[in-house]
Amino acid sequence: PVQADEDGVNEMTLKSTPEISSVSEEGAKSSLAQAQPSTLSIFHEDILLAILSFVADVPFEIVDKAHPIDSHSSLTHTLPLVSKQIHSLTRRHDLHWKNALLRLVRREPTLWEEGLKRVVFDAKCDELRGKIIERNQNSATAQCDKCMKDGQTNQRQQRPAPQSILPSSNSDQPNGSSDDADPPLASKGEILQHACAAIQSHPSHHRRATSSGIYQYLYQSVLLGHMRYQAPVFCMPSRVRLGSPYGLHLFEPRYRLMISEVMASYPASARRGERILPMVQGLSRPNHMADDIKASTRDLLEKNELILHKHHVPTFIHAHQAPMRRSTPATVVQVQQCVIHPNGSADVFLKPLSYIWLEEIWERSGTGGLYEAMGLRMGEEASESYERWCGMRGFGRGDGRGRGQMLPIP
């Protein structure tokens, strides 16, 4: 048909020539742009990682006073969206998480260095619990086998003895000589390597898979196991200062339930006003252990006495600022002395340990109005600013900027 109507074809070609030329120019430009390599692709991968390290920050590394619990960061929310190449680099490499941990340890040692020490302590506790469980299983298996042999001897004329209900263990009992001496956690530059070594040698049973590597998992462990804190909430406006003990009388039904839950894992003497000692789950009765495990347990607990008296004691949240909502400051308090009366009411002596920002608050069903909350621990600078704000608030309302600026004028 094109050849049959030559005049028509020529006429159509003349009319559509400008449009075709413009389309062809645009296609050439787009194809040229696609052919040209991007600016980032010309760099070697190591150089690109070094460049990104100047802008890669992790959640809660840069704290916004207006939104202190905002978890957005460039490494997790911005850089992966720039390009596929950067997205792949941020997921496959662990360098940025390592550098961020080193910065956090130097900037907030009271938070992150203590958190890394807790990771090491928890890993070693898991190792000792595993040895105790294995030792108990071997002992139970040997005792069961002995009972079965005695039964076979006494009942040889009767029906044959049944098989053992416990599986036999082919491995020998562990001995204390296999325990390696752990180096002390001294300098801030070595604490990170000790924490990584402890996790790799004694991985936790609740370890989460991470996309990049050991340092990202280490960051998650400190954040979930130390920086964040979850506990029942006692609500009463009051003045609280870190390290200054105070007493309370708990008489409401919801707070009777709260104190009974907080003190449930401690001996009855602790609920009668006697001294409350730190407790570590599975390691609080060294007298019932073998000699080698008992020595290792006592040595571990003595070296980590500060962690024991701060993080393995009965605690809960005192919400002393109203209203109780997200980003409101609260206090983690330790129960130093407790007397629970027969009617369930209690007299407690409390010591404030640290300030937190409330992240989530919810009411527990069937508790008569008892709240549970999760909070994020404040750093040293934020805690000092908040204490100054609380101390000066009694003289006036400040300049109207409130807690966000932490600069009230009396």
Side-chain angles (χ1 to χ4, degrees):
V2 175
Q3 294 177 357
D5 193 0
E6 186 176 356
D7 296 335
V9 171
N10 293 335
E11 184 180 358
M12 182 182 66
T13 304
L14 292 175
K15 291 181 180 179
S16 60
T17 298
E19 298 178 359
I20 294 175
S21 62
S22 62
V23 172
S24 61
E25 290 178 359
E26 294 177 358
K29 291 180 180 178
S30 61
S31 61
L32 182 61
Q34 293 177 0
Q36 292 179 350
S38 63
T39 306
L40 298 177
S41 62
I42 65 176
F43 293 105
H44 190 270
E45 191 173 277
D46 295 338
I47 298 178
L48 188 57
L49 287 172
I51 294 174
L52 295 178
S53 64
F54 288 94
V55 295
D57 59 88
V58 297
F60 307 112
E61 183 178 358
I62 301 175
V63 180
D64 185 3
K65 290 185 178 181
H67 306 283
I69 58 175
D70 185 12
S71 62
H72 285 73
S73 69
S74 61
L75 185 57
T76 57
H77 294 80
T78 304
L79 292 178
L81 303 179
V82 174
S83 66
K84 291 183 178 179
Q85 182 183 10
I86 295 181
H87 180 271
S88 176
L89 287 176
T90 55
R91 288 184 62 86
R92 288 188 294 106
H93 291 274
D94 213 21
L95 176 65
H96 299 313
W97 293 99
K98 177 183 179 180
N99 294 336
L101 281 171
L102 291 173
R103 292 193 301 267
L104 289 168
V105 168
R106 296 190 187 100
R107 188 180 306 167
E108 292 285 357
T110 56
L111 284 180
W112 291 91
E113 184 177 351
E114 184 178 350
L116 291 174
K117 290 180 179 179
R118 286 189 66 184
V119 169
V120 175
F121 177 73
D122 292 341
K124 293 180 179 179
C125 288
D126 288 339
E127 180 193 14
L128 288 175
R129 292 189 194 101
K131 289 183 178 181
I132 293 173
I133 292 174
E134 183 179 1
R135 188 71 59 88
N136 292 338
Q137 289 178 348
N138 292 340
S139 176
T141 302
Q143 185 176 2
C144 184
D145 291 341
K146 181 179 179 181
C147 293
M148 295 296 296
K149 291 179 180 179
D150 294 342
Q152 289 178 357
T153 303
N154 296 333
Q155 302 177 6
R156 187 167 297 176
Q157 302 299 329
Q158 302 178 8
R159 65 175 185 269
Q163 298 293 328
S164 173
I165 59 175
L166 294 178
S168 59
S169 175
N170 297 327
S171 59
D172 297 331
Q173 293 184 359
N175 48 44
S177 59
S178 61
D179 296 339
D180 296 329
D182 296 309
L185 302 176
S187 64
K188 295 180 180 179
E190 298 176 353
I191 179 72
L192 192 61
Q193 300 301 326
H194 285 296
C196 291
I199 288 179
Q200 291 174 342
S201 58
H202 317 302
S204 176
H205 63 278
H206 52 73
R207 176 170 179 173
R208 293 186 176 186
T210 57
S211 57
S212 57
I214 186 66
Y215 292 104
Q216 184 181 0
Y217 168 69
L218 189 58
Y219 173 87
Q220 292 179 353
S221 300
V222 176
L223 179 63
L224 299 178
H226 177 70
M227 291 291 293
R228 283 198 169 105
Y229 174 78
Q230 179 178 336
V233 181
F234 171 77
C235 309
M236 189 182 75
S238 60
R239 287 190 180 184
V240 177
R241 188 177 182 86
L242 295 184
S244 300
Y246 62 98
L248 289 177
H249 176 66
L250 306 177
F251 59 90
E252 294 186 34
R254 54 178 176 172
Y255 298 136
R256 296 183 186 185
L257 175 63
M258 179 193 72
I259 194 62
S260 65
E261 291 180 352
V262 169
M263 301 298 299
S265 59
Y266 291 83
S269 60
R271 299 188 288 271
R272 295 196 296 262
E274 299 183 15
R275 184 183 177 187
I276 302 176
L277 298 176
M279 291 187 62
V280 182
Q281 184 179 3
L283 301 178
S284 299
R285 296 181 178 180
N287 294 329
H288 299 275
M289 305 175 187
D291 292 339
D292 55 341
I293 299 181
K294 185 191 302 183
S296 300
T297 302
R298 287 180 174 174
D299 183 62
L300 177 63
L301 299 182
E302 289 175 359
K303 289 181 179 179
N304 297 272
E305 188 174 356
L306 181 61
I307 294 178
L308 287 174
H309 286 85
K310 192 173 181 180
H311 301 287
H312 292 272
V313 290
T315 56
F316 60 89
I317 297 175
H318 183 182
H320 52 88
Q321 292 286 349
M324 191 173 62
R325 60 188 179 188
R326 282 176 57 87
S327 300
T328 300
T331 306
V332 178
V333 294
Q334 171 192 350
V335 182
Q336 287 191 319
Q337 191 174 11
C338 175
V339 178
I340 300 180
H341 303 289
N343 61 354
S345 63
D347 294 310
V348 293
F349 195 63
L350 308 175
K351 177 184 177 182
L353 295 179
S354 60
Y355 294 127
I356 61 173
W357 284 296
L358 296 179
E359 287 186 297
E360 298 180 18
I361 308 103
W362 64 94
E363 182 180 351
R364 292 168 48 182
S365 60
T367 59
L370 180 62
Y371 284 87
E372 187 99 358
M374 178 180 291
L376 185 71
R377 296 182 188 271
M378 289 188 190
E380 185 176 1
E381 182 180 355
S383 299
E384 292 176 355
S385 300
Y386 177 62
E387 280 198 341
R388 287 197 301 267
W389 183 86
C390 291
M392 300 175 71
R393 192 173 65 126
F395 297 97
R397 285 297 181 183
D399 58 357
R401 290 182 289 180
R403 287 193 306 266
Q405 298 296 330
M406 299 294 184
L407 291 172
I409 299 175

